[in-house]
Amino acid sequence: MKTLVIVAHPSLETSVINKRWVEALRKYPEKYTVHELYKVYPDGNINAEKEQQLIESHSNLVLQFPFYWFNCPPLLKRWLDDVFTYGWAYGSNGGDKLKNRKAALAVSAGINEEDYSEEGRYRYTLEHLLSPFETTFLYCNADYRSFFAFYGAENEPSVSELEKSTQDYLNFVDNL
């Protein structure tokens, strides 16, 4: 089965990194389904049942988003709240739909990697700051596979940096 990539970027058309990743994924429709939340739900009203069915029809799940204000965009948070419900994602009465499903994150971080360290400007690693997502997947008994990150997006990456990041991202998703 294919990998479902949930893309949550409020202005993907102006993005450098996330847009490039989406374009690369779309070259392989037999392997990936790209699902853009802000395009599908511009009004923010999420059809949870439809989203749950979409997840169930895929073997792997990747949440792709820009990391800003040390979190995900608000629509992705709402999506998680609406879709990962009791009785579906966790709990009794069939709450096992994410059990053993491979799940991962793909984030673009505007800040440089060295700033995400105990000695850095923000005193926390990106791994630490993303731990609520990992904990969510673990709570739902998913097979969390870590995250892929592009650091320094605010610094206008070079073409070679973009190409390397895109290839590394595709390799990451392929090896879930």
Side-chain angles (χ1 to χ4, degrees):
M1 287 211 294
K2 295 174 20 174
T3 295
L4 174 62
V5 181
I6 301 293
V7 178
H9 196 299
S11 61
L12 188 62
E13 63 282 349
T14 63
S15 168
V16 174
I17 304 302
N18 283 272
K19 182 179 177 182
R20 180 102 176 207
W21 290 350
V22 166
E23 290 168 351
L25 292 167
R26 287 212 164 110
K27 291 178 183 176
Y28 304 97
E30 71 284 358
K31 294 166 64 172
Y32 314 114
T33 299
V34 177
H35 186 59
E36 294 179 50
L37 293 184
Y38 280 89
K39 184 184 277 186
V40 176
Y41 300 111
D43 61 0
N45 294 318
I46 295 168
N47 181 334
E49 185 176 314
K50 180 181 170 187
E51 296 299 305
Q52 290 168 344
Q53 291 170 356
L54 186 60
I55 293 168
E56 289 177 35
S57 69
H58 290 78
S59 57
N60 304 326
L61 175 64
V62 175
L63 305 181
Q64 178 186 318
F65 57 94
F67 190 70
Y68 56 79
W69 290 116
F70 309 98
N71 210 323
C72 66
L75 188 58
L76 180 55
K77 175 60 172 122
R78 178 156 186 191
W79 183 88
L80 288 165
D81 291 343
D82 290 356
V83 176
F84 287 18
T85 57
Y86 177 85
W88 184 82
Y90 66 96
S92 58
N93 300 323
D96 63 354
K97 301 302 189 242
L98 295 175
K99 186 175 184 176
N100 298 324
R101 187 177 312 275
K102 293 176 184 173
L105 305 174
V107 299
S108 59
I111 300 165
N112 293 323
E113 187 171 5
E114 57 270 12
D115 289 328
Y116 285 112
S117 69
E118 290 180 17
E119 301 78 32
R121 183 174 178 193
Y122 302 105
R123 300 186 313 172
Y124 293 99
T125 64
L126 192 55
E127 180 177 18
H128 180 90
L129 294 167
L130 291 171
S131 63
F133 296 94
E134 177 181 3
T135 304
T136 297
F137 283 124
L138 295 174
Y139 187 76
C140 296
N141 293 309
D143 182 5
Y144 180 68
R145 296 300 184 106
S146 193
F147 67 92
F148 178 83
F150 182 92
Y151 295 91
E154 292 174 349
N155 300 330
E156 297 188 33
S158 68
V159 172
S160 62
E161 288 174 313
L162 287 172
E163 288 174 2
K164 181 178 182 339
S165 169
T166 302
Q167 189 55 54
D168 290 347
Y169 176 50
L170 289 175
N171 290 337
F172 174 79
V173 176
D174 282 342
N175 291 309
L176 289 182

